[in-house]
Amino acid sequence: MRVADPVAFDRRHLLHPYTSPTHPLPVYHVHSARGVRLRLEDGRELIDGMSSWWAAIHGYNHPVLNRAASEQLRHMSHVMFGGITHRPAVELAARLLDLAPAGLEQVFFCDSGSVAVEVAIKMAFQFWRGRGEKRRDTLLTVRGGYHGDTFAAMSVCDPVNGMHGLFRGLLREQLFAPRPGPAFGAAWNERAIAGFEKLLTARGGRIAAVILEPIVQGAGGMRFSSPRYLRRVRQLCDREGVLLILDEIATGFGRTGKLFASEHAAVTPDILCLGKALTGGYVSLAATLASGRVLAGIAAGRPGTFLHGPTFMANPLACAVAVASLDLLLASPWQRRVRRIEAQLERELARCRALPGVADVRVLGAIGVVETRRPVDVAALQRAFVERGAWIRPFGRLIYLMPPYVITARDLSRLTNAIAEVLGNTGI
């Protein structure tokens, strides 16, 4: 059957992220997308400031990625990865291991960022069990973090200000150090790591791994921290013999001005989680990379195999597009583009600091954040942004931009102008 009114049907029957099932937020019917523009069913065009939740770094409908998908479809769209391999998975793994911090040796492909975190956590626990240390059954993380919506991932999201407080008591209780600090670019103070070090030292014999988002905390608050903090975390993990998991699902592939955010601190994790921009926003795919030491520990225990296996693991279509996306990124002047975006965001969002309702404005790489003093009316602000031809999705007290790297200066100005105008007109 053909639905006569898709938006009305959507409102009655479709669940959207973080939206009431009975009083959902308004939705906008997208007909097509090309470059940095979303074309609505009614003919309006919106400049995308979100990169489809930070994934569409090359924009939409890119001929190179379209060609890679079409070519792969001529061979196969999917084949199980149990007992079978294929060139797209091999080529993608080779590229990731070449690009990732040195010391990571094996790749586990999975479905989404949340699952990549689940896989990383399971690897850490299975590593210690393989070594006969079953007491290491706890994770240490920091407040203000976000790692996804599945259960192990939720357990290491901020327990107070995160999105999963409803599930307290159902989730495994983990250890939370204070938020990382100081801010990116600020002078280092050893007191910033004191709370983390105290917890790690006191509970080190029970901790399987430390997990955190390097440099940038994403959906948990869009905060930027000093690379020195991450270096100290790595040093302390080494001192206490604890594994380090870095969640680069949001920051991987150039978003902070480095290919991986951990490069700001010259740190290599024991386990690395990647996703979002991996396929340029075309198909859901994520990867968990691990050191040889981690995999050797898993192999040493019973049953000697890593106990995880998604049905669509290493999907050939997704892997083929990811290979093309990485090649496209590396062949482009992405560093220069990100620096240009960063400079323009700094310059044009600065005027928001004068608004009485704005608590902070901060920029790092191709990320621009305006933080308000009170939570915003998401539906009202989004409607005002759409009226100005901008697709910007606020949440909580955050109005932020993460545009595709290919955005022009003119289109980026339309986004920054929309934020300044809407916040100014609403009295924020």
Side-chain angles (χ1 to χ4, degrees), residues 256-295:
T256 68
K258 301 285 188 181
L259 198 60
F260 300 103
S262 56
E263 292 178 17
H264 287 283
V267 160
T268 296
D270 299 289
I271 305 174
L272 176 67
C273 301
L274 301 173
K276 286 193 183 293
L278 179 57
T279 67
Y282 267 57
V283 190
S284 181
L285 181 68
T288 305
L289 282 62
S291 69
R293 173 176 173 251
V294 169
L295 275 300

Side-chain angles (χ1 to χ4, degrees), residues 13-36:
H13 300 293
L14 292 184
L15 287 169
H16 286 261
Y18 307 108
T19 298
S20 165
T22 54
H23 298 89
L25 292 169
V27 296
Y28 298 87
H29 188 178
V30 175
H31 175 271
S32 59
R34 183 174 296 276
V36 301

Side-chain angles (χ1 to χ4, degrees), residues 164-405:
H164 307 306
L166 177 67
F167 299 97
R168 190 176 303 163
L170 299 174
L171 301 174
R172 182 68 175 267
E173 289 193 12
Q174 313 292 6
L175 299 173
F176 288 85
R179 288 186 178 91
F184 192 94
W188 173 252
N189 187 321
E190 189 67 13
R191 288 195 301 271
I193 197 72
F196 178 92
E197 183 175 10
K198 182 178 180 180
L199 269 174
L200 185 62
T201 302
R203 302 289 295 275
R206 297 296 303 271
I207 296 171
V210 168
I211 179 170
L212 49 78
E213 301 157 282
I215 309 301
V216 176
Q217 289 187 307
M222 304 298 290
R223 297 176 184 87
F224 312 145
S225 60
S226 168
R228 184 73 177 272
Y229 182 91
L230 183 57
R231 284 198 291 273
R232 292 290 287 120
V233 166
R234 175 75 272 184
Q235 291 166 1
L236 292 169
C237 286
D238 290 342
R239 188 186 78 185
E240 299 296 328
V242 171
L243 298 177
L244 175 60
I245 302 169
L246 293 185
D247 175 354
E248 293 238 24
I249 291 159
T251 53
F253 310 110
R255 182 57 67 177
T256 68
K258 301 285 188 181
L259 198 60
F260 300 103
S262 56
E263 292 178 17
H264 287 283
V267 160
T268 296
D270 299 289
I271 305 174
L272 176 67
C273 301
L274 301 173
K276 286 193 183 293
L278 179 57
T279 67
Y282 267 57
V283 190
S284 181
L285 181 68
T288 305
L289 282 62
S291 69
R293 173 176 173 251
V294 169
L295 275 300
I298 290 171
R302 295 170 55 189
T305 58
F306 180 54
L307 298 174
H308 206 87
T311 300
F312 286 92
M313 181 177 179
N315 171 258
L317 182 58
C319 288
V321 175
V323 168
S325 179
L326 290 181
D327 289 350
L328 181 62
L329 177 66
L330 296 175
S332 73
W334 67 268
Q335 297 102 321
R336 188 169 71 244
R337 288 172 173 170
V338 171
R339 284 195 299 269
R340 175 187 59 79
I341 292 169
E342 180 179 51
Q344 188 173 351
L345 289 172
E346 285 272 17
R347 186 171 62 251
E348 296 182 0
L349 290 179
R351 58 188 147 160
C352 294
R353 290 192 175 96
L355 298 172
V358 169
D360 190 29
V361 176
R362 49 189 179 269
V363 174
L364 179 64
I367 309 169
V369 183
V370 177
E371 182 174 350
T372 58
R373 299 188 188 280
R374 295 188 303 275
V376 300
D377 183 333
V378 173
L381 258 64
Q382 193 144 52
R383 182 166 54 250
F385 290 141
V386 168
E387 289 170 356
R388 288 163 174 78
W391 181 250
I392 302 168
R393 177 77 169 178
F395 70 93
R397 298 187 295 117
L398 303 173
I399 300 98
Y400 70 96
L401 294 173
M402 280 197 181
Y405 302 162

